[in-house]
């Protein structure tokens, strides 16, 4: 970046604003000087004309306006300042700044001036009133292409900007209301975050973003993830998305497993990954523009899509960045995005979860090891969640019992099957369940099996054979024999939540819908 040069006029309307790049300063000053000169002409008119009269008289008064600029002392001074040549283009400019954008997109002077006018209005709080006065309406504080055409000496060169196909609009640098047709009176704006990048006033990612950089060569990634990351090293001209698939709903969007994956991707591609948590399309588009300007990939948590495999519309379609999208859909399909293969988020195994539980409690405050082992097996939490639960329990008075630990884990899991099932509160105690000896013995064996499942799977190694699966039991018999009662007693004795599945909500006449509901359960 070049140092600030001495200029004949103030660069901004608000004193104290600074620009570190001489080229950016020159173009912002052009916008300020031309606005000042236009107001000199407007204030010399007998009265402020209405928009129709102003439009009809513009051609007739053109020569008088040019003569005024040459005759009036203030206007002549401003014209001389406007005529100053731009500084020499730097050989090396920082990525994302206005000079870099000019060179990257091959912008014409009229396009650079338009960009500088909108940029100045976004960054300078005093510019809105000046722009409103220049447009003859104090309420119109956003610049338009019509105002740019009036201020620029060669109005015919702006025709290419009056289309959303212009790269400044496609890449999200300039914004216009998407619900309106783009014409000469359409208000133009810019995201403050984009303005911050173009001005080069911040060295790191903007507020709300977290930059993740690779700290190794990516070898810790699984082979499939490494291959996808190699694919993501290619230059692109449209958004490319990589769906990140979580092993369970307990995987946090900002958990350690996700971070390890993003770090591995960054190490292979050589680009940072910006994390941004928002589901609003305008904010997602701004995030994509910021990532393109900074040469970064974007990590997004896609909004819940229910059973629909496709999104109705994409938050952006023309910004060429790689998107790492955490999605709960079996198949992520976004119009305008090219989809790369899905990548699984690495999860911690039972030993890692057990070690994390032990390390998360202060010495002498941890619950019995059997309780930790049980929770490590039953709740496949990320390390961040384990530390959060342990910290909350550590602030509780008294020792941390097995019951407290299980209740805290169950509350944090908060599994809810929605309308497919309802929570059941057990109503019966063990002494109320009377069974024949054979069935009573089976029931007690079932209780013992569930209680010792974590020990059998974790210590004896059967979890590797059964893929850490749970236990299923089928209660059979005619109505009134106590099947529901036995299930409620079992849930009460084990301290487990109980849900009743509504089969009328699960079974669906349409092909594939029943399977989707079963998968949700």
């Amino acid at each position: 970046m070049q140092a600030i040069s001495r200029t004949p006029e103030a660069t901004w309307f608000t004193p104290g604003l600074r620009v570190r790049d001489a080229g950016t300063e020159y173009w912002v000053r052009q916008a300020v000087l031309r606005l000042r000169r236009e107001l000199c002409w407007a204030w010399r008119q007998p009265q402020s004309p209405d928009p129709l009269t102003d439009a009809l008289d513009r051609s007739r008064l053109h020569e008088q306006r040019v003569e005024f600029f040459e005759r009036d002392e203030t206007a002549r001074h401003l014209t001389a300042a406007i005529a100053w040549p731009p500084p020499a283009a730097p050989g090396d400019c920082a990525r994302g700044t206005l000079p870099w954008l000019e060179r990257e997109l091959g912008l014409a002077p009229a396009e650079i001036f338009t960009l500088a006018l909108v940029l100045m209005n976004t960054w300078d709080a005093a510019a809105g009133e000046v722009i409103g006065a220049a447009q003859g309406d104090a309420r119109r504080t956003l610049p338009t292409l019509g105002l740019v055409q009036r201020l620029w000496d060669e109005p015919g060169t702006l025709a290419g900007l009056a289309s959303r196909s212009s790269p400044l609009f496609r890449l999200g640098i300039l914004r216009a209301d998407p619900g309106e047709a783009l014409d000469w009176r359409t208000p133009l704006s810019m995201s403050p975050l984009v303005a911050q990048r173009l001005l080069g006033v911040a060295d790191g990612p903007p507020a709300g973003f977290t930059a993740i950089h690779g700290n190794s060569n990516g070898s810790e990634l699984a082979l499939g993830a490494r291959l996808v990351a190699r694919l993501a090293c290619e230059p692109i001209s449209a958004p490319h998305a990589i769906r990140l698939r979580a092993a369970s709903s307990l995987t946090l969007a900002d958990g350690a497993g996700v971070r390890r994956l993003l770090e591995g991707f960054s190490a292979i591609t050589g680009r940072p990954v910006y994390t941004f948590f928002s589901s609003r399309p305008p904010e997602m588009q701004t995030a994509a523009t910021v990532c393109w300007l900074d040469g970064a990939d974007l990590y997004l948590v896609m909004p819940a899509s229910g059973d629909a495999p496709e999104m109705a519309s994409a938050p952006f379609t023309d910004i060429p960045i790689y998107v790492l999208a955490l999605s709960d859909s079996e198949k992520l399909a976004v119009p305008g995005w090219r989809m790369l293969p899905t990548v699984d988020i690495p999860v911690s195994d039972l030993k890692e979860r057990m070690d994390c539980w032990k390390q998360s409690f202060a010495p002498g405050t941890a619950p019995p090891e059997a309780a930790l082992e049980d929770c490590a097996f039953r709740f496949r939490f990320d390390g961040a969640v384990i530390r959060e639960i342990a910290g909350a329990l550590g602030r509780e008075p008294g020792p941390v019992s097995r019951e407290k630990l299980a209740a805290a884990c169950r509350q944090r899991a908060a599994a809810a099957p929605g309308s497919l099932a309802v929570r059941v509160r057990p109503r019966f105690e063990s002494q109320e369940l009377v069974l024949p000896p054979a069935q009573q013995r089976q029931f007690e064996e079932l209780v013992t099996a569930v209680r010792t499942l974590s020990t059998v799977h974790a210590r004896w190694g059967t979890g590797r054979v059964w893929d850490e699966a749970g236990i299923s039991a089928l209660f059979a018999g005619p109505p009134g024999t106590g099947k529901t009662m036995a299930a409620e007693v079992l849930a009460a004795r084990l301290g487990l939540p109980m849900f009743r599945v509504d089969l009328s909500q699960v079974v669906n006449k349409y092909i594939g819908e029943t399977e989707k509901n079963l998968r949700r359960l």
Side-chain angles (χ1 to χ4, degrees):
M1 306 290 283
Q2 293 184 0
I4 298 176
S5 60
R6 296 185 60 83
T7 63
E9 299 289 340
T11 302
W12 304 87
F13 292 108
T14 299
L17 294 178
R18 294 288 183 269
V19 183
R20 291 188 287 181
D21 175 70
T24 304
E25 180 185 328
Y26 170 83
W27 284 107
V28 172
R29 193 186 324 117
Q30 283 284 316
V32 171
L33 294 173
R34 291 172 185 269
L35 281 170
R36 290 183 183 274
R37 188 176 65 172
E38 186 62 28
L39 287 180
C40 285
W41 162 253
W43 288 340
R44 298 303 194 278
Q45 303 307 302
Q47 59 182 3
S48 298
D50 61 86
L52 177 60
T53 303
D54 178 66
L56 293 173
D57 289 346
R58 188 168 298 181
S59 177
R60 180 177 62 85
L61 298 176
H62 174 67
E63 291 187 2
Q64 297 181 23
R65 179 170 173 265
V66 173
E67 291 177 359
F68 172 80
F69 289 163
E70 296 174 352
R71 184 183 66 253
D72 183 82
E73 181 178 355
T74 302
R76 190 168 64 249
H77 173 75
L78 293 171
T79 300
I82 290 171
W84 274 45
D92 183 24
C93 51
R95 183 186 176 105
T97 57
L98 186 59
W100 176 88
L101 188 68
E102 174 187 353
R103 186 177 61 190
E104 182 73 12
L105 300 182
L107 299 179
E111 295 174 311
I112 305 171
F113 174 72
T114 304
L115 192 59
L117 180 64
V118 180
L119 175 63
M120 180 266 299
N121 185 55
T122 303
W123 204 249
D124 192 338
E129 289 74 10
V130 179
I131 289 174
Q135 298 186 113
D137 188 344
R139 297 169 297 179
R140 298 173 60 192
T141 58
L142 293 178
T144 63
L145 289 176
L147 176 62
V148 177
Q149 192 180 55
R150 186 170 179 82
L151 297 176
W152 191 244
D153 296 332
E154 300 174 354
T157 59
L158 290 163
L161 270 175
S163 169
R164 294 187 187 274
S165 61
S166 166
L168 294 178
F169 290 105
R170 287 191 297 104
L171 294 170
I173 307 297
L174 292 182
R175 284 183 174 180
D177 190 341
E180 298 181 2
L182 183 60
D183 57 30
W184 297 105
R185 295 176 61 85
T186 302
L188 304 179
S189 62
M190 178 185 294
S191 166
L193 296 183
V194 174
Q196 189 180 53
R197 313 317 286 172
L198 295 179
L199 291 171
V201 296
D203 297 323
F209 292 75
T210 300
I212 295 179
H213 298 271
N215 52 13
S216 65
N217 59 5
S219 58
E220 69 278 2
L221 291 181
L223 176 60
R226 291 203 307 272
L227 294 178
V228 175
R230 302 292 181 193
L231 290 175
C233 294
E234 296 294 327
I236 54 177
S237 58
H240 283 47
I242 302 163
R243 177 186 169 234
L244 305 184
R245 178 170 52 198
S248 74
S249 60
L250 302 182
T251 300
L252 291 185
D254 57 348
V258 173
R259 188 174 185 90
R260 288 198 302 269
L261 179 62
L262 299 183
E263 287 176 350
F265 260 78
S266 176
I268 292 176
T269 63
R271 300 184 301 267
V273 179
Y274 283 4
T275 65
F276 182 74
F277 298 100
S278 175
S279 59
R280 298 182 57 196
E283 294 178 352
M284 294 169 74
Q285 184 185 45
T286 297
T289 302
V290 170
C291 286
W292 179 77
L293 289 172
D294 286 5
D297 298 337
L298 178 61
Y299 168 64
L300 284 179
V301 180
M302 303 303 290
S305 56
D307 295 333
E310 294 191 4
M311 295 182 63
S313 61
F316 53 89
T317 57
D318 296 309
I319 305 175
I321 63 169
Y322 285 96
V323 180
L324 297 139
L326 179 63
S327 172
D328 63 349
S329 300
E330 284 297 310
K331 177 184 177 183
L332 178 64
V334 182
W337 290 10
R338 181 184 172 187
M339 307 306 300
L340 296 182
T342 297
V343 172
D344 291 317
I345 298 173
V347 296
S348 56
D349 57 22
L350 179 60
K351 182 179 183 305
E352 290 175 336
R353 294 195 299 272
M354 185 63 183
D355 292 340
C356 188
W357 275 115
K358 292 179 179 179
Q359 297 167 6
S360 298
F361 287 95
T365 64
E369 184 168 339
L372 293 179
E373 187 177 71
D374 185 55
C375 285
F377 170 75
R378 288 168 54 188
F379 301 98
R380 302 177 187 184
F381 288 133
D382 195 282
V385 179
I386 292 176
R387 288 186 290 272
E388 176 186 314
I389 295 173
L393 290 173
R395 291 187 288 271
E396 275 283 301
V400 180
S401 62
R402 174 190 292 268
E403 291 73 19
K404 282 185 179 181
L405 180 61
C409 291
R410 195 176 304 120
Q411 181 187 49
R412 188 62 177 81
S419 60
L420 299 179
V422 294
R423 182 74 177 266
V424 175
R425 302 291 179 183
R427 299 162 294 174
F428 304 102
E429 302 292 337
S430 295
Q431 60 270 19
E432 298 178 84
L433 179 65
V434 179
L435 297 172
Q439 283 77 9
Q440 183 67 41
R441 185 169 57 255
Q442 284 183 310
F443 186 82
E444 295 300 328
E445 289 175 352
L446 178 60
V447 172
T448 303
V450 175
R451 282 179 173 170
T452 59
L453 182 63
S454 59
T455 301
V456 172
H457 273 4
R459 295 185 184 178
W460 299 356
T462 57
R464 291 179 297 171
V465 180
W466 291 0
D467 194 23
E468 297 189 11
I471 291 178
S472 300
L474 176 64
F475 294 164
T481 53
K483 298 185 296 298
T484 302
M485 183 179 184
E488 292 186 18
V489 171
L490 180 65
R493 288 183 61 177
L494 295 174
L496 296 175
M498 179 178 176
F499 294 92
R500 180 174 61 246
V501 177
D502 186 353
L503 288 180
S504 67
Q505 299 294 323
V506 175
V507 179
N508 195 296
K509 64 180 180 180
Y510 295 104
I511 296 175
E513 293 300 315
T514 300
E515 289 78 3
K516 288 182 180 179
N517 290 335
L518 290 173
R519 185 171 61 249
R520 288 173 58 191
L521 282 172

